[in-house]
Amino acid sequence: MTTTRTIGLRLDDAEHATILPELRRAAAASGRDLTVDPDADPTEIDYLVYNIDSGVTEFSAFPKLRAIFNTWAGVEAVVGRITVPDGVPFCRMVESGMTDGMSEYFVAHTMRYLIDIDRAQAQSAGGLWQKWTPRLARQTPVGILGLGQLGAETGRKLAELGFPVYGWSRSLKSLDGIFCHADEAGLSEVLEKAQILILILPLTDDTREIMNAERLAQLPKGACLINAGRGPLIDDTALLDALASGHLKHATLDVFREEPLPGSHPFWRHPGITITPHIAAETRMDTAADAILVQICRDLDNAALQHIVDPVRGY
């Protein structure tokens, strides 16, 4: 006899409204005996689609729970604030729409810096015809700090375009097309080569302000930086100082210590900073629902779940 499994939701209102029809579509397409019920009694819920903005921080009311699926890729707002029952996996979101969106964001801004689109815009505004010779991708080393799903895909796309790509991660990885490094010496080697530096690390005690004054100084003079990881990966004062001195040419920032970024923040008025409003890694609800159903089907087939958060590591 087949047992119907119930998928419940505990989300903020906006995500609830947009992912619910996608979950129902994906559940129906899976061919499994699943029901998506946003109003289900907690005692009947087998799988929970979740984010911290729902206000739920402990799960004792969910005795049948087999797994919790976070709709956000970042989990630093969750780790330490929730109590997950022993043996229940808590999984961060990894989905193709987010991966493509993030990697394309990094590729776009890398190409912008390669061709020097900012110079073109400045000359256009001033009616100035003054030619220059843009660098080639093969002449422009790119550093990537963070080689998880998002960083690895970014590195792959940039390597295909001809960029020499140097990556750094907590543990040493082996990825085609990327010169992979780990440990402090490896970090220094990546920074010293990176004419364009990409930050896509999770925020942990070890990565907080990893780009401080000392490490910003290790970048080549005139380097550019792109951060779509987490705001506190960078020491804000050190970044402003590096831009003021001319050591750093430009920074593109998608994430900040406080969001929305306050109107009084000096980043808004700085000519060397481009701000985007945390758009690089938006969860696409159609592909997110598909990713959640892949995970549920793995569980139903007695296969290990993926992307399980380790509270000790913090991601």
Side-chain angles (χ1 to χ4, degrees), residues 26 29 45 62 67 101 104 125-126 137 140 142 144 147 178 180 186-187 201 214 222 241 263 273 277 285 296 300 307:
I45 291 174
F62 300 81
E104 289 165 9
T140 310
V142 176
I144 301 176
L147 293 176
I178 301 175
C180 296
L187 177 57
L201 288 162
E214 178 183 355
D241 289 345
I273 294 176
M285 293 306 169
I296 290 173
L300 293 173
H307 319 304

Side-chain angles (χ1 to χ4, degrees), residues 19 26 38 41 56 98 121 161 181 202 208 249 298 309:
I19 203 171
D41 187 309
V56 177
M98 182 187 297
Q121 288 180 320
L161 290 169
H181 298 268
R208 188 176 297 275
K249 181 179 179 181
R298 288 181 67 88
V309 174

Side-chain angles (χ1 to χ4, degrees), residues 20-93:
L20 178 58
E22 297 294 348
L23 284 169
R24 285 176 166 157
R25 171 196 56 78
S30 74
R32 306 301 181 104
D33 197 0
L34 297 165
T35 182
V36 181
D37 185 355
D39 301 314
D41 187 309
T43 62
E44 298 301 318
I45 291 174
D46 299 281
Y47 302 103
L48 190 64
V49 180
Y50 172 84
N51 71 40
I52 190 69
D53 283 354
S54 66
V56 177
T57 58
E58 66 91 30
F59 303 89
S60 60
F62 300 81
K64 292 178 59 181
L65 205 56
R66 297 172 63 89
I68 305 169
F69 301 107
N70 200 44
T71 55
W72 302 347
V75 294
E76 71 278 355
V78 180
V79 173
R81 292 179 58 193
I82 67 172
T83 303
V84 179
D86 290 342
V88 176
F90 180 83
C91 302
R92 60 188 172 85
M93 176 56 66

Side-chain angles (χ1 to χ4, degrees), residues 143-147 168 187 190-191 197-201 210-211:
I144 301 176
L145 304 191
L147 293 176
W168 182 86
L187 177 57
V190 170
L191 294 178
L197 182 69
I198 287 170
L199 301 181
I200 186 54
L201 288 162
I210 189 170
M211 293 310 298

Side-chain angles (χ1 to χ4, degrees), residues 88-166:
V88 176
F90 180 83
C91 302
R92 60 188 172 85
M93 176 56 66
V94 176
E95 55 96 359
S96 61
M98 182 187 297
T99 300
D100 288 344
M102 177 70 88
S103 58
E104 289 165 9
Y105 177 94
F106 283 130
V107 169
H109 286 281
T110 298
M111 294 301 296
R112 163 195 170 196
Y113 287 142
L114 177 72
I115 300 169
D116 207 348
I117 295 297
D118 293 357
R119 179 173 179 174
Q121 288 180 320
Q123 289 187 184
S124 295
L128 178 62
W129 181 278
Q130 184 176 343
K131 298 179 72 174
W132 73 91
T133 303
R135 291 178 297 182
L136 300 174
R138 59 181 168 83
Q139 300 170 321
T140 310
V142 176
I144 301 176
L145 304 191
L147 293 176
Q149 182 90 7
L150 302 176
E153 177 63 12
T154 298
R156 184 190 68 78
K157 286 178 176 174
L158 289 171
E160 286 183 351
L161 290 169
F163 290 93
V165 179
Y166 296 84

